[in-house]
Amino acid sequence: MPDGAPKKPSRIQLRNRRTILDAALEVFSRHGYRGSTLDQIAGSAGLSKPNILYYFDGKEDIHVTLLNQLMETWLDPLRAMNAAGDPQAEILAYVQRKVDMARDLPRESRLFAGEILQGAPRMRPDLETGLRPLFDEKCNVIQGWIDAGRLPPLDPQHLIFSIWATTQHYADFEVQVNVLLPGEQDPHARASAHLQTMFGKLLAL
Amino acid sequence: MPDGAPKKPSRIQLRNRRTILDAALEVFSRHGYRGSTLDQIAGSAGLSKPNILYYFDGKEDIHVTLLNQLMETWLDPLRAMNAAGDPQAEILAYVQRKVDMARDLPRESRLFAGEILQGAPRMRPDLETGLRPLFDEKCNVIQGWIDAGRLPPLDPQHLIFSIWATTQHYADFEVQVNVLLPGEQDPHARASAHLQTMFGKLLAL
DNA sequence: TCGTGGATTTACCAAATGGTAAAATTTTTA
DNA sequence: TAAAAATTTTACCATTTGGTAAATCCACGA
């Protein structure tokens, strides 16, 4: 029979796969792919190493699964940018969603950053097929706003890069931020205010 | 005798240590600390593995040496920001120096990013003693300019974070940038223009 | 409740990797 | 140039690590 019907996974399967992926996210995001060991993941998941290999084909399988899931989450905030909305409000709302994501999903941000930093060895196809079409589409939306005189002339592509860079910075460089802002209870609140101001000025007509 | 006089290193020592560090920078910046092997570094340097261990005490020694050297280079552009100069010009010149650095020293940028991303396990002391005093000093300079009415009110700390994030993005996320700007011969030129515009608007009175 | 298939553990293994000892070679010095 | 010092290579070793085989345990439907 063709494996078109992979049989519904049992409750245990579902629970354990989720546990493993969560543990792996924790470990991979802190130590990178090569810096993480199956023993660490197993320990963090509270399972034995062979047990983990019962649920996944290997270390790489876990990593790839994680990256694939991540791509979906990652694109959501950009997808939500609506061409029919108000340009300034849409872009500033996008900035806010990215700030919130850096605060709420720092592990995901670091996993992604680590993968890109090392040349995206396991993710380049996903970048081409998943990210790039969406990126191009939204650049066109922004360019349309500019052409309609609803935004000042600016470089849509580099605008998006700047939004990514500034927001993800608070997750990816968290340690540095904490060293430089000691005792700050909520860096993200001030970060958010600063970024809204900065991009607000950039987008003002 | 106390080792206060470590004897001047020979010509060969100097050349080989430099060769090794350059090879190590190449390898570490691409694969991270754990992802790099002494064999890779040896191969890239054109030396044998034991020969490398003749010049350095071990893998970690090479990495730490590299990070210490890097910190100096890294702080230079910020050090050059002059309290006696014109605020807008000083800050925009700083942005430009950082853009140039991302273009000319991407390996150094990625090495630094990788270290911070993983929690700065070998660099935290350097951050406290090297980076933080300078950061605080320059934040005070910027705050002084604001208080003197020479800059609009803004958050000096997060301004610097934004400069770091946007400029280093082009080195650290180079692969992603290349995927999204295919066929672009010189992304840094457009990046520079965009960042000068953006920070120019932010700093305008 | 008993048997069966799924889940888990125990006991391993081969390859990779950081590192060392000592011989051999080259360079420098007297 | 010959001895001494510095450099490089050869041959290893111990540990770590991703992964496997097979025995054992356990949940669940007949």
Side-chain angles (χ1 to χ4, degrees):
Chain A
M1 76 176 174
D3 71 331
K7 259 181 186 173
K8 63 174 99 174
S10 74
R11 229 172 316 157
I12 295 179
Q13 291 244 4
L14 235 46
R15 172 174 54 83
N16 280 356
R17 278 185 70 98
R18 218 186 306 233
T19 302
I20 292 168
L21 286 175
D22 188 69
L25 176 59
E26 185 71 28
V27 174
F28 280 138
S29 72
R30 280 211 201 294
H31 307 290
Y33 180 74
R34 285 283 311 266
S36 306
T37 70
L38 285 177
D39 285 303
Q40 278 178 290
I41 297 172
S44 178
L47 298 172
S48 70
K49 180 168 65 175
N51 199 8
I52 281 188
L53 292 170
Y54 176 76
Y55 289 102
F56 289 90
D57 285 341
K59 187 183 177 182
E60 178 143 0
D61 183 30
I62 302 176
H63 196 242
V64 168
T65 303
L66 228 34
L67 289 176
N68 287 342
Q69 289 189 3
L70 175 55
M71 187 54 91
E72 289 312 301
T73 317
W74 222 234
L75 299 182
D76 279 342
L78 186 54
R79 265 203 208 93
M81 200 172 79
N82 179 11
D86 175 68
Q88 280 79 10
E90 286 294 328
I91 294 174
L92 289 180
Y94 175 53
V95 170
Q96 190 57 48
R97 284 193 293 275
K98 290 290 288 179
V99 171
D100 292 344
M101 254 177 110
R103 186 193 54 207
D104 299 333
L105 305 174
R107 301 180 307 176
E108 284 82 350
S109 185
R110 286 199 303 269
L111 183 74
F112 185 81
E115 174 69 8
I116 301 295
L117 197 62
Q118 307 205 346
R122 287 165 250 278
M123 222 187 182
R124 199 176 305 223
D126 252 22
L127 291 182
E128 300 275 8
T129 65
L131 176 57
R132 204 181 140 197
L134 183 64
F135 177 78
D136 289 343
E137 176 201 328
K138 297 306 180 181
C139 282
N140 284 335
V141 168
I142 294 172
Q143 189 60 54
W145 285 334
I146 296 169
D147 293 342
R150 302 175 69 192
L151 281 179
L154 51 79
D155 193 318
Q157 286 141 336
H158 291 266
L159 166 64
I160 293 181
F161 290 159
S162 290
I163 294 173
W164 289 347
T166 50
T167 54
Q168 291 172 10
H169 185 84
Y170 292 94
D172 302 342
F173 290 74
E174 186 186 11
V175 177
Q176 194 185 41
V177 169
N178 286 338
V179 165
L180 298 178
L181 301 179
E184 181 95 13
Q185 67 278 31
D186 186 6
H188 287 276
R190 269 177 64 198
S192 170
H194 166 257
L195 293 177
Q196 291 291 323
T197 302
M198 180 168 85
F199 289 109
K201 287 196 181 186
L202 178 62
L203 301 174
L205 281 170
Chain B
M1 79 178 174
D3 72 329
K7 261 180 185 175
K8 61 175 98 173
S10 74
R11 230 173 317 158
I12 294 179
Q13 291 244 5
L14 233 49
R15 172 174 53 82
N16 280 355
R17 276 185 71 98
R18 217 186 306 233
T19 303
I20 292 168
L21 286 175
D22 189 69
L25 175 59
E26 185 70 30
V27 175
F28 280 138
S29 72
R30 279 210 201 297
H31 307 290
Y33 180 75
R34 287 282 313 263
S36 305
T37 71
L38 286 177
D39 285 304
Q40 277 178 290
I41 296 171
S44 177
L47 299 172
S48 70
K49 180 169 64 175
N51 200 8
I52 281 188
L53 293 170
Y54 175 75
Y55 290 101
F56 289 91
D57 285 341
K59 186 182 178 183
E60 178 144 2
D61 184 29
I62 302 176
H63 196 243
V64 168
T65 302
L66 227 36
L67 289 177
N68 287 344
Q69 288 189 5
L70 175 55
M71 185 55 89
E72 289 312 301
T73 317
W74 221 233
L75 299 182
D76 279 342
L78 185 54
R79 264 202 209 95
M81 200 171 81
N82 178 12
D86 176 68
Q88 280 79 11
E90 287 294 328
I91 294 175
L92 289 180
Y94 175 54
V95 170
Q96 190 57 49
R97 284 194 295 274
K98 291 289 288 179
V99 171
D100 292 344
M101 255 178 108
R103 184 195 54 208
D104 299 333
L105 305 173
R107 300 180 308 177
E108 284 81 351
S109 185
R110 286 199 303 269
L111 182 73
F112 185 80
E115 174 69 8
I116 301 295
L117 197 62
Q118 307 205 346
R122 286 165 251 278
M123 223 188 183
R124 198 175 309 219
D126 252 22
L127 291 182
E128 301 273 8
T129 66
L131 177 57
R132 205 182 138 196
L134 184 65
F135 177 78
D136 289 343
E137 177 202 328
K138 296 307 181 181
C139 282
N140 284 335
V141 168
I142 294 172
Q143 188 60 54
W145 284 334
I146 296 168
D147 294 341
R150 303 174 69 193
L151 280 179
L154 51 79
D155 192 318
Q157 286 141 336
H158 291 267
L159 167 64
I160 292 181
F161 290 159
S162 290
I163 293 173
W164 289 347
T166 50
T167 55
Q168 293 173 9
H169 185 85
Y170 292 94
D172 302 341
F173 290 75
E174 185 185 12
V175 177
Q176 194 185 41
V177 169
N178 286 338
V179 165
L180 297 178
L181 300 179
E184 182 94 11
Q185 67 279 33
D186 185 7
H188 288 275
R190 268 177 64 199
S192 170
H194 166 257
L195 294 177
Q196 291 289 324
T197 301
M198 182 169 84
F199 288 109
K201 287 197 181 186
L202 178 60
L203 300 174
L205 283 170

